C-alpha cells in the first residue's frame, strides 16, 4: 500500500498527504509545515497547552493493494452468502412486491402506469425479470400469491437486489480505506454492514430500497476515492471519480427522491473545499475557476443528465395507454399509443352543449345526476359532483344570466371572459346552483354546497349565476384569452352572489353519492384546484346539413419529452405530499434510530418476515453519532482556550471522516421531520449506513492508544456481539421456522410487535399464510380521486388506482 506508513495495528500513521475533506471539518488543503511562533508547553495532568494552531485536516492517499484485493473478494463472497441464503423463501408475494413486481411486468409489456417514485429501480427489476424469464403476465395482485404455482421466476428477480445489497459490503470497506483508515477498521465497517438485519431483509425482496442504498453507498465511496486523488487534479483518475460520483448520485435520485439528499452532502463538502482553495495563493483565479467548473459539471450537470436519461428510457418503454394514463393530463395521454384523441368544436357559444373538465386535478368532469344530497346540513337538492368518466350526465348547456337575454338574430354569440352565465344540466334540466348551505365534506363557513336546482315552470333565480373568469388562453390560438374556446381556455366559475369559486376538493364522497369526487363553491381558494376547461363543445344545429361549413376545431397538443418529464415530476411531488394515511406500521423519524418498532412484511406457517434491524448496530451507531457531536463541541470550546487535545494522533482524520458522515447522516435523516407524509423505518436505511461508518471510525478512535492485541480483541468482541444479535433475529430476516418461546424471548423491547402466534406453538402456527390488505398505498390510493378515461365519450371501465405505492 502506498501510504505514509502503517502502525502495528495495520492503521496508517498521521499522513502528511491528503484525506477526504469532510463538510464537518474545518479545513481542506494540502498540509504544509507550519511555522511555530513559540513552542512553550505547559503540562497539567495529561492536557497539553500549546501556542500554535491545531493540525489541519488531511486527505488520505490510498491505492488498492493485493492484500486489499484479497480481502475484498473474501468480503464479497461472505456478503453474497448472507444476502442470498434462503432467497427462495417465502415463495409468495411479500409486502410491496405487490407493486414493484407488477410494475416490472408493465415495463415488459409496454403498458403505461404511474408511480410516485422515479423509474430506475423499477426498470432494473424489469430487466432482472426479463433475464430470468418473466413474461409480465403474473399480476402480483395481492400479498400471499403463490409464485411457484404461477411459474414466476421470482428468485431471479430477488437476486438482483440481493447482489446490489452484497456490493454495499465491499464498498463500505473501500470507503473506510479511502478515508485513511487501516485494514482492521475497514473490515470492521464492512462486517457491520454485512450483518445488519434490516439491510439484509430489504435486499432480499423486490423492493426499491436496495437499489437506492446501493447507489447511495457507491456515490459516497466514489466521492471518497475522488479525495484520494487531490494531489493529481484534472488527471484521468481525478476526472473518473468526480464524474462517477455525479453519475451515481443521478442514479440514486432516479430510484427514489431520497437520493436527492446526497446533493447537500456532497455540495457542502464541495463548498468547504472551494472556499479553502481561495486561500491557496498557489492557485490562480483561472485555476480556481477551472476547479469550480469541473465540480459544477461533474456534480450538477452529470446527475441531471442521468436523471433525465432514465426518464427518457421510462417513457420509451411505456408506450401503450392504459387506465392509469388517466392520472396524466390530456396532452400527456395523446403521446401514448391508443391514447386520447379528442377533436371538438373550438368556439363556445350561448346555447352550446359543453363538457367541463377539472384542469389540474385530472379527476374528471363536472357532473350531476337525479339523486339528492343526503347530508344533514345540506339542501336535499340534486347532487353536483366530479366524475371520472365522460358520459351524458357531464353535459351542460350555456345560457345567459337569470333574467337576461342574448341577441342571436345575427348568429351565435360567443361566450366572453367576464360574462355572467348559467349552466343547465342537459339530462335533468336543473341549473348549477349555490347557496348558503355547507357541502357534504366540510363545515367551514368559506365553503358552500353546489347543487342542481329547478323545477317545472320555474325560471330559476340569481343563485344560478356564475361569472366566467378567464385565467389564460393558448398563445397560438388568437382570442382564446378573450372568449371561451374548448381545450385552449382556462377559466374559473365565480358565483355571482357568494363570490366563491367552483372548487375541486379531491375528496371522495360517501356511497350515497356513489363515491364520486366532491366539488363545492369556495371563497379565497387558490386557482389550481378551481381551474377548468371545456373539453367538448357543440352548438346544436350547426352541422345538421352535410353542406354546412365545419366550424373551427380544437384538439389537445402532444407533449414533448421535456413536458412529459416536468408533468410526471410535478405529479410525483403532489403524490408524495398527499400520502397521509394511517398504516399500522408507519413510524415517525424520532423512533427510527433507537429501533422502536419494525414493519411486518409477511406471515406463514411457523414463520414471519418482520423488518427489524440489528439492534446492537442501530443503538451503537446512534451512540457514535451523538458522541461525535459531543467530542466536536467539547474540543471546539477547548480550542478557544488554546488547548488542543490530539486524540491519540487521530483528531484530524476523525474530524474529517467521521465529521463528513455525521453531516451525511443528518442530511439523510433530519429532512424527514419536515415531511407530513406517511413514513416507514426503511426510509432510515441510507442514513443508517452512514451512521454505521461513524460507529466503525469511533471504535477506531477509542482503541487508538491501546496495544494491538487489545484493539483486535475489542474488534472481535464487537463482531461477536453483532453476529449473536444477527443470529437471534435471523428468523424474522430469513422467514425461518422458530418456536413461540424463542420468538417471545427475542422481543428485547416491548414495542417490537412481530407476530409470535405464527411461530411453532402459537395459535396460528398451522394457518396458511394470510392475505393481508394491500400495502398502505393502495388504501391511500383508494381514497384518491377517480381518474378520467382517455376519451370524451361514454365509458364503462374504471381507472385502476392500485398502481400507486406509498413507500
Amino acid at each position: 500500500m502506498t501510504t505514509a506508513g502503517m502502525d502495528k495495528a495495520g492503521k496508517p500513521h498521521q499522513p502528511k498527504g491528503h484525506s477526504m475533506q469532510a463538510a464537518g471539518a474545518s479545513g481542506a488543503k494540502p498540509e504544509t509545515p507550519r511555522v511555530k511562533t513559540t513552542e512553550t508547553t505547559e503540562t497539567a495532568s495529561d492536557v497539553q497547552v500549546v501556542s500554535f494552531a491545531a493540525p489541519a485536516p488531511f486527505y488520505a492517499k490510498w491505492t488498492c493493494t493485493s492484500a486489499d484485493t484479497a480481502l475484498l473478494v473474501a468480503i464479497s463472497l461472505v456478503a453474497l452468502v448472507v444476502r442470498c441464503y434462503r432467497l427462495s423463501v417465502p415463495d409468495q408475494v411479500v409486502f410491496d412486491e405487490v407493486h414493484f413486481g407488477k410494475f416490472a411486468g408493465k415495463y415488459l409489456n409496454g403498458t403505461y402506469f404511474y408511480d410516485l417514485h422515479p423509474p430506475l429501480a423499477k426498470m432494473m427489476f424489469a430487466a432482472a425479470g426479463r433475464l430470468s424469464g418473466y413474461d409480465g403476465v403474473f399480476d402480483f395482485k395481492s400479498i400471499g400469491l403463490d409464485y411457484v404455482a404461477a411459474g414466476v421466476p421470482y428468485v431471479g428477480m430477488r437476486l438482483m437486489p440481493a447482489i446490489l445489497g452484497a456490493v454495499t459490503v465491499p464498498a463500505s470497506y473501500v470507503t473506510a480505506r479511502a478515508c485513511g483508515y487501516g485494514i482492521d477498521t475497514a473490515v470492521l465497517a464492512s462486517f457491520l454492514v454485512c450483518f445488519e438485519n434490516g439491510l439484509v431483509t430489504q435486499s432480499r425482496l423486490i423492493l426499491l430500497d436496495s437499489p437506492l442504498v446501493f447507489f447511495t453507498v457507491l456515490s459516497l465511496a466514489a466521492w471518497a476515492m475522488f479525495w484520494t486523488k487531490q494531489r493529481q487534479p484534472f488527471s484521468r483518475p481525478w476526472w473518473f471519480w468526480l464524474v462517477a460520483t455525479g453519475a451515481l448520485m443521478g442514479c440514486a435520485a432516479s430510484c427514489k427522491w431520497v437520493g436527492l439528499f446526497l446533493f447537500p452532502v456532497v455540495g457542502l463538502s464541495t463548498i468547504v473545499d472551494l472556499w479553502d482553495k481561495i486561500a491557496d495563493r498557489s492557485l490562480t483565479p483561472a485555476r480556481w475557476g477551472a476547479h469550480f467548473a469541473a465540480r459544477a459539471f461533474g456534480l450538477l450537470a452529470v446527475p441531471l443528465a442521468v436523471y433525465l436519461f432514465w426518464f427518457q428510457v421510462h417513457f420509451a418503454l411505456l408506450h401503450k395507454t392504459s387506465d392509469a394514463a388517466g392520472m396524466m393530463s390530456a396532452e400527456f395521454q395523446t403521446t401514448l399509443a391508443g391514447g386520447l384523441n379528442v377533436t371538438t368544436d373550438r368556439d363556445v357559444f350561448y346555447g352550446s352543449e359543453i363538457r367541463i373538465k377539472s384542469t389540474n386535478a385530472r379527476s374528471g368532469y363536472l357532473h350531476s345526476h337525479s339523486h339528492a344530497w343526503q347530508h344533514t346540513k345540506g339542501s336535499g337538492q340534486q347532487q353536483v359532483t366530479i366524475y371520472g368518466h365522460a358520459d351524458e350526465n357531464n353535459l351542460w348547456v350555456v345560457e345567459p344570466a337569470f333574467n337576461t337575454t342574448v341577441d342571436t338574430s345575427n348568429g351565435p354569440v360567443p361566450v366572453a371572459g367576464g360574462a355572467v352565465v348559467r349552466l343547465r344540466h342537459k339530462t335533468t334540466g336543473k341549473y348549477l346552483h349555490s347557496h348558503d348551505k355547507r357541502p357534504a365534506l366540510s363545515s367551514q363557513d368559506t365553503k358552500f354546497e353546489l347543487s342542481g336546482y329547478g323545477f317545472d315552470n320555474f325560471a330559476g333565480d340569481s343563485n344560478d349565476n356564475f361569472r366566467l373568469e378567464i385565467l389564460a388562453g393558448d398563445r397560438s390560438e388568437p382570442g382564446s384569452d378573450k372568449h371561451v374556446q374548448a381545450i385552449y381556455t382556462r377559466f374559473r366559475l365565480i358565483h355571482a352572489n357568494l363570490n366563491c369559486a367552483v372548487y375541486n376538493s379531491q375528496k371522495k364522497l360517501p356511497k350515497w353519492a356513489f363515491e364520486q369526487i366532491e366539488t363545492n363553491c369556495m371563497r379565497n381558494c387558490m386557482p389550481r384546484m378551481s381551474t377548468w376547461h371545456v373539453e367538448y363543445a357543440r352548438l346544436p344545429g350547426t352541422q345538421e346539413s352535410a353542406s354546412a361549413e365545419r366550424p373551427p376545431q380544437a384538439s389537445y397538443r402532444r407533449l414533448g419529452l421535456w413536458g412529459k418529464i416536468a408533468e410526471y415530476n410535478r405529479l410525483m411531488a403532489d403524490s408524495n405530499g398527499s400520502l397521509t394515511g394511517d398504516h399500522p406500521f408507519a413510524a415517525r423519524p424520532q423512533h427510527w434510530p433507537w429501533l422502536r418498532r419494525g414493519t411486518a412484511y409477511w406471515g406463514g406457517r411457523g414463520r414471519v418476515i418482520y423488518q427489524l434491524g440489528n439492534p446492537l448496530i442501530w443503538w451503537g451507531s446512534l451512540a457514535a453519532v451523538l458522541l461525535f457531536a459531543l467530542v466536536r463541541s467539547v474540543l471546539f470550546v477547548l480550542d478557544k482556550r488554546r488547548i488542543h487535545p490530539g486524540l491519540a494522533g487521530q483528531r484530524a482524520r476523525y474530524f474529517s471522516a467521521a465529521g463528513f458522515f455525521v453531516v451525511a447522516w443528518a442530511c439523510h435523516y433530519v429532512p424527514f421531520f419536515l415531511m407530513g407524509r406517511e413514513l416507514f423505518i426503511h426510509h432510515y436505511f441510507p442514513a443508517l449506513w452512514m451512521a454505521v461508518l461513524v460507529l466503525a471510525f469511533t471504535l477506531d478512535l477509542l482503541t487508538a492508544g491501546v496495544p494491538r492485541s487489545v484493539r483486535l480483541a475489542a474488534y472481535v468482541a464487537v463482531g461477536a456481539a453483532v453476529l449473536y444479535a444477527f443470529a437471534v433475529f435471523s428468523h424474522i430476516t430469513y422467514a425461518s421456522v422458530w418456536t413461540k418461546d424463542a420468538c417471545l424471548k427475542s422481543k428485547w423491547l416491548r414495542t417490537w410487535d412481530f407476530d409470535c402466534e405464527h411461530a411453532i406453538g402459537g395459535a396460528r402456527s398451522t394457518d396458511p399464510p394470510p392475505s393481508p390488505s394491500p400495502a398502505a398505498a393502495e388504501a391511500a390510493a383508494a381514497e384518491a380521486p377517480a381518474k378520467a378515461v382517455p376519451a370524451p365519450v361514454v365509458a364503462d371501465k374504471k381507472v385502476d388506482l392500485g398502481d400507486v405505492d406509498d413507500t
Side-chain angles (χ1 to χ4, degrees):
M1 182 179 72
T2 310
T3 62
M6 301 285 293
D7 64 15
K8 293 182 179 180
K11 172 170 51 56
H13 292 304
Q14 176 95 356
K16 294 181 180 178
H18 294 285
S19 173
M20 183 173 68
Q21 169 63 32
S26 58
K29 61 183 180 181
E31 240 181 31
T32 55
R34 293 179 178 240
V35 178
K36 302 180 183 179
T37 54
T38 62
E39 198 173 286
T40 52
T41 303
E42 302 172 21
T43 302
S45 179
D46 27 345
V47 176
Q48 192 177 37
V49 183
V50 294
S51 59
F52 52 89
F58 61 90
Y59 310 131
K61 183 181 179 183
W62 174 68
T63 302
C64 185
T65 65
S66 57
D68 289 312
T69 301
L71 280 170
L72 284 171
V73 170
I75 289 169
S76 300
L77 292 175
V78 172
L80 280 170
V81 171
V82 171
R83 260 60 177 181
C84 296
Y85 175 66
R86 291 172 57 88
L87 196 59
S88 61
V89 179
D91 56 3
Q92 298 165 353
V93 177
V94 176
F95 195 58
D96 274 356
E97 289 185 336
V98 163
H99 298 295
F100 305 122
K102 175 169 54 182
F103 294 155
K106 291 185 180 295
Y107 277 116
L108 295 181
N109 57 43
T111 304
Y112 184 82
F113 71 89
Y114 166 76
D115 180 47
L116 54 80
H117 299 299
L120 176 56
K122 297 185 287 289
M123 290 192 293
M124 293 171 69
F125 282 116
R130 172 60 62 84
L131 293 173
S132 304
Y134 175 46
D135 57 9
V137 174
F138 184 74
D139 61 2
F140 295 83
K141 188 175 182 180
S142 62
I143 297 173
L145 285 181
D146 194 321
Y147 284 133
V148 176
V152 180
Y154 70 103
V155 175
M157 297 179 72
R158 287 178 179 173
L159 182 61
M160 187 271 290
I163 291 174
L164 299 185
V167 171
T168 63
V169 177
S172 302
Y173 177 94
V174 170
T175 304
R177 295 289 279 140
C179 288
Y181 284 91
I183 288 176
D184 51 356
T185 300
V187 170
L188 177 64
S190 61
F191 184 90
L192 296 175
V193 174
C194 183
F195 292 99
E196 203 299 292
N197 296 70
L199 293 176
V200 174
T201 301
Q202 201 73 9
S203 64
R204 292 166 44 81
L205 301 170
I206 307 171
L207 304 174
L208 299 189
D209 291 271
S210 183
L212 170 67
V213 173
F214 169 79
F215 286 117
T216 299
V217 170
L218 262 63
S219 295
L220 295 185
W223 187 239
M225 288 300 299
F226 170 73
W227 283 102
T228 67
K229 309 301 178 185
Q230 289 308 293
R231 290 241 175 131
Q232 310 161 44
F234 305 104
S235 64
R236 287 185 180 180
W238 187 92
W239 273 111
F240 173 82
W241 290 114
L242 177 63
V243 173
T245 300
L248 291 164
M249 289 167 61
C251 288
S254 299
C255 291
K256 295 179 83 169
W257 273 358
V258 174
L260 294 174
F261 296 156
L262 285 167
F263 287 83
V265 176
V266 175
L268 287 171
S269 177
T270 301
I271 290 170
V272 171
D273 173 48
L274 291 175
W275 178 253
D276 286 337
K277 279 181 167 53
I278 291 178
D280 187 349
R281 295 186 179 181
S282 67
L283 281 181
T284 64
R287 188 72 166 174
W288 187 92
H291 275 282
F292 177 88
R295 286 159 174 78
F297 169 75
L299 304 177
L300 292 176
V302 170
L304 178 61
V306 168
Y307 186 79
L308 297 176
F309 169 76
W310 290 124
F311 267 101
Q312 183 178 19
V313 175
H314 168 79
F315 291 132
L317 292 175
L318 302 180
H319 61 280
K320 294 187 290 188
T321 193
S322 68
D323 290 345
M327 297 282 291
M328 315 310 295
S329 70
E331 291 83 358
F332 189 108
Q333 294 178 49
T334 61
T335 66
L336 301 173
L340 191 64
N341 183 17
V342 172
T343 299
T344 182
D345 291 356
R346 184 192 67 185
D347 298 310
V348 177
F349 302 100
Y350 287 97
S352 289
E353 298 173 358
I354 63 174
R355 182 175 286 118
I356 302 174
K357 189 172 187 180
S358 178
T359 299
N360 294 314
R362 306 180 185 98
S363 50
Y365 305 89
L366 191 65
H367 177 91
S368 189
H369 42 232
S370 56
H371 296 273
W373 287 119
Q374 297 180 23
H375 57 295
T376 56
K377 54 196 173 186
S379 64
Q381 296 174 8
Q382 183 170 296
Q383 296 173 10
V384 174
T385 65
I386 295 174
Y387 183 53
H389 310 289
D391 64 17
E392 61 182 6
N393 281 330
N394 305 142
L395 293 176
W396 302 82
V397 180
V398 184
E399 295 187 359
F402 175 66
N403 276 343
T404 64
T405 60
V406 172
D407 183 7
T408 59
S409 60
N410 294 322
V413 177
V415 179
V420 178
V421 301
R422 291 188 296 173
L423 296 176
R424 176 171 55 84
H425 191 240
K426 181 183 177 183
T427 304
T428 63
K430 309 289 187 182
Y431 285 101
L432 182 66
H433 183 91
S434 191
H435 42 213
D436 192 12
K437 294 285 184 179
R438 299 284 81 80
L441 301 181
S442 176
S443 58
Q444 298 177 22
D445 58 8
T446 58
K447 296 180 179 179
F448 305 91
E449 178 190 83
L450 278 177
S451 65
Y453 182 58
F455 45 88
D456 292 341
N457 301 316
F458 177 68
D461 59 32
S462 62
N463 278 333
D464 303 336
N465 291 343
F466 288 83
R467 185 176 69 257
L468 205 150
E469 179 184 281
I470 291 180
L471 299 176
D474 191 315
R475 292 180 181 179
S476 62
E477 294 295 329
S480 60
D481 58 342
K482 304 296 183 184
H483 295 86
V484 179
Q485 295 184 3
I487 294 179
Y488 304 133
T489 302
R490 302 295 188 258
F491 59 85
R492 303 172 80 200
L493 291 169
I494 310 296
H495 193 265
N497 294 337
L498 297 174
N499 197 34
C500 55
V502 178
Y503 177 78
N504 182 350
S505 75
Q506 298 185 285
K507 296 178 181 178
K508 183 183 291 187
L509 289 161
K511 289 185 177 179
W512 52 257
F514 309 100
E515 297 185 330
Q516 295 174 7
I517 303 305
E518 184 202 40
T519 180
N520 57 53
C521 199
M522 181 178 178
R523 287 176 179 161
N524 305 317
C525 62
M526 298 297 289
R528 188 163 183 267
M529 288 299 116
S530 59
T531 300
W532 305 82
H533 68 275
V534 173
E535 185 175 89
Y536 167 82
R538 175 182 172 273
L539 183 63
T542 55
Q543 290 184 324
E544 294 178 358
S545 170
S547 61
E549 182 181 354
R550 189 182 187 189
Q553 301 294 290
S555 59
Y556 288 112
R557 291 185 171 84
R558 292 170 60 92
L559 277 184
L561 176 62
W562 305 117
K564 291 174 70 173
I565 292 174
E567 178 177 327
Y568 199 99
N569 279 265
R570 282 195 302 268
L571 190 55
M572 285 196 301
D574 291 343
S575 300
N576 276 283
S578 64
L579 286 176
T580 55
D582 54 353
H583 192 286
F585 288 96
R588 294 305 299 170
Q590 61 268 26
H591 299 146
W592 298 342
W594 57 283
L595 203 59
R596 180 178 179 270
R597 68 189 299 232
T599 305
Y601 277 9
W602 177 87
R605 292 185 177 92
R607 300 173 296 163
V608 295
I609 295 180
Y610 185 88
Q611 174 60 277
L612 188 75
N614 187 317
L616 298 186
I617 295 177
W618 285 58
W619 298 337
S621 62
L622 175 62
V625 169
L626 297 178
L627 179 63
F628 176 86
L630 176 64
V631 171
R632 192 70 180 87
S633 300
V634 170
L635 265 62
F636 177 79
V637 173
L638 293 178
D639 286 345
K640 288 294 184 182
R641 297 180 59 84
R642 303 181 67 135
I643 302 173
H644 306 290
L647 302 182
Q650 306 304 312
R651 172 172 172 159
R653 182 174 63 191
Y654 177 66
F655 278 6
S656 179
F660 175 84
F661 283 101
V662 166
V663 171
W665 172 87
C667 289
H668 281 77
Y669 176 55
V670 174
F672 286 107
F673 285 93
L674 307 177
M675 299 181 188
R677 62 152 289 177
E678 200 168 49
L679 297 169
F680 297 83
I681 195 170
H682 60 250
H683 288 110
Y684 184 64
F685 284 158
L688 172 66
W689 176 79
M690 297 156 196
V692 168
L693 288 188
V694 177
L695 173 59
F697 299 162
T698 302
L699 292 173
D700 178 275
L701 176 69
L702 295 177
T703 58
V706 302
R708 180 187 180 189
S709 58
V710 176
R711 174 188 178 88
L712 292 178
Y715 278 17
V716 169
V718 169
V722 165
L723 199 57
Y724 167 77
F726 178 82
V728 168
F729 299 101
S730 63
H731 299 283
I732 58 177
T733 299
Y734 294 114
S736 56
V737 176
W738 62 348
T739 65
K740 182 177 180 180
D741 182 59
C743 177
L744 293 173
K745 288 181 179 179
S746 298
K747 291 191 174 184
W748 294 2
L749 296 182
R750 287 181 294 180
T751 52
W752 293 351
D753 49 359
F754 43 82
D755 183 11
C756 290
E757 295 304 320
H758 269 107
I760 298 299
R764 299 165 62 191
S765 62
T766 60
D767 291 349
S771 298
S773 56
E778 289 196 346
E783 298 298 323
K787 302 300 183 288
V789 296
V793 294
V794 178
D796 14 311
K797 59 181 180 179
K798 294 187 177 180
V799 177
D800 175 15
L801 298 180
D803 283 354
V804 183
D805 72 281
D806 69 336
T807 56

